[in-house]
Amino acid sequence: MACQSEILSLPEQMTPRIIGFCPKGVIWANLSISYRAGWFRSVTAYGLLLVMVALWSIPVAWAGALSQVGQLIEGSRWQLLLGNIQMLRTAVQAITGLLSTVLLGVFLYLLPPFLEILAEFKGVKTHALKDEFVQKFYFAFLYIQIFLVVSIASFFTASIDELAANVGDLQRPRDVLDILSRNLAKSANYFFSYVILQALSASSATLLQIGTIITRYVLGPALDSTPRAKWIRRNSPISAKWSSLFPIYTNFGCIALTYCVISPLISAFAILTFALSWVAQRYMIL
């Protein structure tokens, strides 16, 4: 810590410094940013993050509520329309559960690149600090949006019918909380499909390496015209985006540890998720 700081003119204050970096790891455009400009950029970046968290909650909550369509069908007029066709009802529940997960994945797909742009705008000096910024706020974003917002939206949606039927008997806030607590376990239905879909898609994408296949066998022959360019493309190591990979599995762990008390079945899905990830990453490393 002392090596990375130097004494400032103010008492008991030190100015942070960065050591042990290579020239390729420096974002040279941000070195000329002054202290005041850096402070203004930091405030603007954090303000944009707060606005994103607030606005992103709307589509994420809608995706979480979509997973409870099966619960809303039960005992409503839609159940009369579907009749006794069990296969159709099962198909509707399966499609809505999968569709909500796919929509949420689409909503979150563009978030890490935007956080990288926001980190550079904030004025970070190295790529390591940029990855740290992305990893920290990507996990916070996933925890708030996927875990908190989806959980609240799901069990509120599952409790709509019961709240509407007992609205006259709800005299105290505790009565509302009792109804919500009884339906809290139903919000785990969304996370079952979310965890298993992410496990299968992430592990299969890691093993398939579709980006490497396209780069080497499609873009390589089309763009590389010299032996040096072909050698660089074939021998350059593949870099993993750890800043956007670690938060996903950290969030999986938070979901599993929380819902294993309410719905213990999710522990099996979490074990399967981490097992598939371990096999895929071990295969890629070895």
Side-chain angles (χ1 to χ4, degrees):
M1 182 183 297
C3 293
Q4 297 184 19
S5 304
E6 66 178 17
I7 298 176
L8 194 63
S9 58
L10 299 177
E12 299 182 358
Q13 298 288 331
M14 304 187 79
T15 302
R17 290 292 183 267
I18 302 171
I19 62 173
F21 56 85
C22 64
K24 292 183 179 180
V26 179
I27 303 177
W28 297 99
N30 291 342
L31 295 182
S32 59
I33 298 176
S34 63
Y35 172 78
R36 294 182 182 274
W39 181 84
F40 176 76
R41 287 176 175 229
S42 299
V43 173
T44 305
Y46 293 137
L48 286 175
L49 285 173
L50 292 177
V51 172
M52 283 178 56
V53 170
L55 295 181
W56 219 284
S57 301
I58 299 174
V60 171
W62 180 79
L66 188 63
S67 64
Q68 300 299 322
V69 170
Q71 299 293 333
L72 295 177
I73 290 176
E74 298 293 336
S76 63
R77 61 186 183 89
W78 292 102
Q79 186 176 8
L80 299 177
L81 294 176
L82 294 177
N84 296 323
I85 307 177
Q86 183 64 30
M87 183 179 297
L88 182 59
R89 294 169 58 186
T90 304
V92 170
Q93 294 177 1
I95 291 173
T96 53
L98 183 62
L99 182 61
S100 61
T101 304
V102 173
L103 288 177
L104 186 58
V106 172
F107 292 150
L108 298 175
Y109 179 75
L110 297 177
L111 185 59
F114 180 79
L115 289 177
E116 292 180 359
I117 297 174
L118 201 61
E120 293 188 7
F121 171 79
K122 179 179 176 292
V124 294
K125 302 300 188 294
T126 64
H127 291 285
L129 292 177
K130 182 176 71 173
D131 290 340
E132 181 183 358
F133 179 89
V134 173
Q135 180 177 347
K136 180 169 57 177
F137 286 99
Y138 189 40
F139 168 71
F141 200 92
L142 290 177
Y143 186 80
I144 294 173
Q145 299 295 342
I146 293 183
F147 180 65
L148 295 181
V149 174
V150 171
S151 297
I152 294 172
S154 297
F155 75 77
F156 262 104
T157 305
S159 306
I160 286 178
D161 292 338
E162 191 172 355
L163 288 172
N166 300 284
V167 65
D169 300 330
L170 301 177
Q171 303 296 333
R172 297 173 300 172
R174 182 178 178 180
D175 299 332
V176 179
L177 295 178
D178 290 339
I179 294 177
L180 295 178
S181 62
R182 288 196 296 269
N183 292 291
L184 181 60
K186 297 179 181 178
S187 61
N189 296 336
Y190 168 81
F191 292 108
F192 289 151
S193 57
Y194 173 76
V195 170
I196 194 62
L197 180 63
Q198 291 293 329
L200 295 176
S201 61
S203 58
S204 60
T206 302
L207 295 175
L208 183 59
Q209 291 293 314
I210 186 65
T212 304
I213 294 175
I214 295 176
T215 301
R216 177 167 295 185
Y217 296 104
V218 178
L219 297 180
L223 301 178
D224 298 339
S225 57
T226 62
R228 180 182 294 274
K230 295 180 180 179
W231 186 89
I232 291 175
R233 185 180 296 276
R234 286 183 173 272
N235 294 278
S236 297
I238 302 173
S239 59
K241 288 286 186 179
W242 300 113
S243 58
S244 58
L245 183 63
F246 285 147
I248 296 175
Y249 290 98
T250 307
N251 193 49
F252 284 161
C254 293
I255 293 173
L257 290 175
T258 303
Y259 274 92
C260 68
V261 180
I262 304 171
S263 182
L265 183 60
I266 202 171
S267 301
F269 289 86
I271 293 173
L272 178 62
T273 299
F274 286 104
L276 290 176
S277 175
W278 177 78
V279 171
Q281 296 296 336
R282 186 173 183 271
Y283 175 80
M284 293 301 299
I285 293 174
L286 298 180

